Amino acid sequence: WRDAPQGKEFDRVLEMVRLIAAGMTNQEIAERLYITVGTVKSHLNHIFSKLNARHRAEAIASARKLNLL
């Protein structure tokens, strides 16, 4: 996990990883977190980068390896 986030940022990252692991779409995540779809996409790209993942499935697998899920 490169440049691991701290505090509230980590909590938000973990929440988003859990939501994508639950199979939620970007629209569903946006509605759940009261943010725009564009913001969801931006956060997910940031998360993918930190987990060295190219897509959701890789991010979920990486999160599981790191015991984040």
Side-chain angles (χ1 to χ4, degrees):
W1 176 274
R2 296 178 323 157
D3 305 321
Q6 303 292 316
K8 289 184 181 187
E9 180 187 3
F10 179 77
D11 293 342
R12 179 62 92 171
V13 167
L14 190 55
E15 181 177 18
M16 292 197 70
V17 169
R18 288 179 176 153
L19 294 175
I20 64 170
M24 294 182 78
T25 65
N26 289 349
Q27 183 65 45
E28 291 168 332
I29 293 170
E31 291 170 5
R32 168 75 70 84
L33 301 180
Y34 302 103
I35 57 178
T36 68
V37 172
T39 301
V40 171
K41 289 178 182 180
S42 176
H43 286 326
L44 290 178
N45 284 328
H46 185 74
I47 291 167
F48 294 168
S49 173
K50 289 193 175 292
L51 292 172
N52 294 315
R54 290 171 292 178
H55 47 76
R56 288 174 182 240
E58 283 185 353
I60 293 166
S62 293
R64 286 193 174 121
K65 285 180 187 175
L66 295 167
N67 295 316
L68 297 175
L69 294 175

